[in-house]
Amino acid sequence: MGAPGAGKGTVLSKLSKQYQNQLTTVSSGDLLREQIKHNPSSEIASVVASGRLVPNNLMIDMIFNRFDQLDLFSQDKSWLLDGFPRNVNQAIDLDSRLLHMNNSLNLVIELDVPYEVILNRIKNRYIHQPSGRIYSLDYNPPKVPGKDDVTGEPLTKRPDDNVEVFAQRLELYTELVEPLKDYYADRDLLHTISGDSSDIIYPQLLKLVEKKFNTPLEQ
Ligand code: AP5
Ligand code: MG
């Protein structure tokens, strides 16, 4: 978990590149953007564009459908979620569905980045929508301005990255995060990593993840 712009997507893609065969990642925002691409006039599209949350039942079904598609639980593979759960009801649903599958979370990480740092980042963020790849004009700029490094396709701004909607997303996050943190702290799962830069955050994240594997992951 982490505020919009905290760098969840950025550190997760770094981690999955480093440990390609051992980690599967699922991002709720990427799943929603995929759906919206296929159905741009849907209710989901207008909810996301306004910075509100998609209803819990839709979101949890979407996440577990993706788990099924990936056949996640039949493999001895680790997985990480980005952007889910976002409120206590989603956390309770996730726990109970995982329990049915003899599975459970063993680590929850909060990325804690100051708001003034985040606000600066967002105006510099561009994405390659089909893949979800994230760029920043100053932090990790594309090799060719305005083009995705892998496909050469054009980069775009996220429609929910304008000033008003971003403020709404940040406000909603602030409201929902404290009870969610309490929920996971009570279960001894919560770890918070603080820092202004992913270069400070990423090594700490690696340490936490590797500790859960007991031995360093193969690279
Ligand atoms: P989602 O896509 O999850 O958005 P978010 O949580 O608001 O987070 P972001 O993706 O904006 O930020 P990030 O932390 O991934 O930061 P990033 O790595 O890009 O959700 C979108 C919407 O979908 C929600 O508003 C909601 O409507 C809906 N939704 C999603 N999940 C839901 C759920 N569970 N239930 C209900 N609705 C849900 O980094 C930001 C920028 O900073 C990038 O440009 C990056 O390059 C740059 N950057 C990263 N690190 C650094 C650094 N160290 N220095 C400088 N720049 C950096
Ligand atoms: Mg993201």
Side-chain angles (χ1 to χ4, degrees), residues 46-60:
S46 69
V47 171
V48 171
S50 71
R52 287 171 292 133
L53 289 190
V54 170
N56 288 347
N57 57 336
L58 284 184
M59 204 60 243
I60 188 125

Side-chain angles (χ1 to χ4, degrees), residues 1-12 27-33 36 44 46-56 59-60 63 82-87 90 111 117-118 120-127 132 134-141 157-158 160-161 165-166 168-170 172-173 195-201:
M1 63 174 86
K8 303 180 294 291
T10 302
V11 293
L12 216 63
S27 153
S28 56
D30 286 350
L31 284 180
L32 290 167
R33 282 183 284 278
I36 292 167
I44 288 183
S46 69
V47 171
V48 171
S50 71
R52 287 171 292 133
L53 289 190
V54 170
N56 288 347
M59 204 60 243
I60 188 125
I63 293 279
D82 156 18
F84 185 89
R86 249 185 171 77
N87 57 36
Q90 290 184 1
L111 302 184
V117 173
I118 284 175
N120 261 329
R121 282 181 188 180
I122 285 308
K123 50 180 191 287
N124 283 323
R125 172 162 68 181
Y126 284 80
I127 60 160
I134 308 159
Y135 296 89
S136 159
L137 295 185
D138 53 11
Y139 176 67
N140 54 342
K157 283 298 279 178
R158 270 173 49 172
D160 59 347
D161 269 354
V165 175
F166 193 76
Q168 153 77 24
R169 288 161 56 202
L170 208 49
L172 192 58
Y173 177 80
D196 285 9
S197 154
S198 295
D199 301 334
I200 295 172
I201 288 197

